[in-house]
């Protein structure tokens, strides 16, 4: 593992073809299979993974659908450029964690969260129902399942926004929160109190239908998560005017020699 790269273990079990797809994908994400390079032939891959040709081909089909591979007549199976990958795919995000994440990856996750989650919180403040508020408080942040409770709150906010596209980025939020907790879980009581307080601000603002306050509270939570593992370089220097501005910060993570 390279310095600055942290791998996060997967939690799910896999079928044969899904496991083969996962292993090939991790090789691609980690750079062991280079963009533009051709995968080994079927016979070699079947021997390597100990699977049949149908299983291997199903695995390749999975990775083609996710944008990692392409098949070309008389050429074979080729690794696609990173820009073609479907980064909102939940499997691909999970594979990134297993391949090893660095500060740039955490930075990218934070940027997409800052572009989406404050707006989701603002919409939730406008549209929430009593049932939505109940879902946000169903499992307190100081419970044993601290990380799961954190994720549940963010999912509840996305649901309360009333916009199905907000909920569809749940995979990004899931990966970002899992990475954050596994890298630097708020185990010390003062830090846990800060996390609980910042999450309470989100819920209170949504309950009060405070659009601007809900968006600002969500920004604060995201930056606090970055701060816990020493990643944040700066915070927003001005308030969000209403619910219309998207945060588009410069790179959040410090450059290091």
């Amino acid at each position: 593992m390279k310095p600055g790269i942290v791998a996060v273990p997967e939690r799910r079990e896999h079928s044969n073809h899904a496991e083969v797809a996962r292993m090939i994908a991790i090789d691609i994400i980690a750079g062991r299979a280079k963009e533009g390079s051709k995968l080994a032939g079927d016979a070699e891959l079947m021997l390597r993974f100990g699977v049949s040709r149908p299983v291997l081909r199903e695995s390749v089909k999975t990775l083609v659908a996710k944008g990692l591979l392409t098949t070309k007549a008389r050429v074979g199976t080729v690794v696609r450029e990173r820009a073609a990958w479907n980064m909102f795919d939940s499997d691909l995000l999970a594979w990134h964690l297993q391949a090893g994440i660095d500060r740039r990856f955490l930075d990218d996750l934070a940027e997409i969260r800052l572009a989406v989650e404050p707006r989701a919180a603002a919409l939730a403040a406008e549209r929430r129902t009593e049932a939505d508020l109940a879902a946000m408080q169903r499992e307190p942040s100081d419970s044993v399942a601290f990380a799961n409770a954190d994720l549940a709150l963010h999912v509840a906010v996305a649901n309360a926004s009333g916009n199905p596209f907000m909920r569809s980025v749940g995979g990004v939020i899931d990966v970002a929160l899992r990475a954050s907790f596994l890298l630097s879980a708020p185990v010390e009581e003062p830090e846990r109190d800060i996390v609980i307080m910042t999450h309470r601000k989100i819920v209170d603002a949504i309950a009060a239908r405070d659009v601007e306050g809900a968006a600002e509270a969500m920004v604060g939570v995201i930056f606090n998560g970055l701060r816990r593992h020493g990643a944040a370089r700066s915070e927003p220097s001005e308030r969000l005017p209403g619910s219309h501005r998207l945060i588009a910060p410069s790179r959040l993570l410090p450059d290091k020699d």
Side-chain angles (χ1 to χ4, degrees):
M1 191 69 64
K2 296 178 182 178
I5 304 291
V6 179
V8 179
E10 179 55 272
R11 299 176 296 180
R12 298 177 295 177
E13 296 183 358
H14 306 279
S15 62
N16 283 346
H17 86 265
E19 178 63 15
V20 173
R22 183 186 72 85
M23 290 189 286
I24 294 174
I26 289 175
D27 278 348
I28 294 171
I29 294 166
R32 292 187 288 270
K34 303 295 184 183
E35 295 179 18
S37 67
K38 180 181 173 181
L39 285 191
D42 285 3
E44 182 178 339
L45 291 175
M46 289 162 56
L47 181 62
R48 173 186 171 188
F49 297 119
V51 296
S52 65
R53 191 179 303 274
V55 169
L56 177 62
R57 289 186 173 174
E58 188 66 26
S59 303
V60 170
K61 283 174 59 179
T62 295
L63 297 180
V64 167
K66 296 177 186 297
L68 275 73
L69 297 175
T70 185
T71 55
K72 300 180 179 180
R74 296 186 297 275
V75 174
T77 304
V78 177
V79 178
R80 297 189 69 185
E81 67 279 6
R82 189 172 292 265
W85 301 358
N86 179 10
M87 292 301 296
F88 284 97
D89 181 88
S90 58
D91 287 330
L92 185 51
L93 287 166
W95 293 334
H96 269 84
L97 293 189
Q98 296 167 66
I101 54 176
D102 56 13
R103 291 169 302 151
R104 174 60 186 264
F105 185 75
L106 290 170
D107 191 354
D108 290 340
L109 284 174
E111 286 181 346
I112 192 63
R113 290 185 67 198
L114 285 167
V116 174
E117 286 197 85
R119 179 60 174 161
L123 289 173
E126 292 179 350
R127 302 170 177 174
R128 59 84 176 161
T129 65
E130 292 303 314
D132 289 325
L133 289 178
M136 293 177 201
Q137 303 180 67
R138 188 170 298 157
E139 188 173 9
S141 294
D142 56 355
S143 67
V144 174
F146 195 91
N148 289 337
D150 191 0
L151 175 59
L153 172 60
H154 287 267
V155 170
V157 170
N159 287 337
S161 75
N163 187 319
F165 292 100
M166 297 291 187
R167 179 63 186 90
S168 293
V169 299
V172 175
I173 299 170
D174 183 6
V175 167
L177 293 178
R178 284 181 58 206
S180 178
F181 270 84
L182 288 169
L183 288 173
S184 181
V187 292
E188 298 297 330
E189 187 172 347
E191 187 62 41
R192 287 171 64 91
D193 289 343
I194 292 173
V195 172
I196 293 168
M197 177 189 68
T198 55
H199 282 77
R200 173 52 55 187
K201 286 183 178 179
I202 296 174
V203 177
D204 288 347
I206 291 174
R209 300 194 185 277
D210 179 356
V211 171
E212 183 174 328
E216 288 187 338
M218 183 64 77
V219 171
V221 163
I222 295 170
F223 272 95
N224 185 56
L226 285 169
R227 238 187 336 261
R228 282 206 308 272
H229 47 78
R233 181 173 63 192
S234 60
E235 296 186 40
S237 58
E238 56 184 11
R239 295 171 64 85
L240 282 76
S243 59
H244 303 289
R245 176 174 297 179
L246 296 180
I247 302 297
S250 58
R251 302 309 297 177
L252 301 171
L253 304 179
D255 295 324
K256 293 185 178 180
D257 297 332

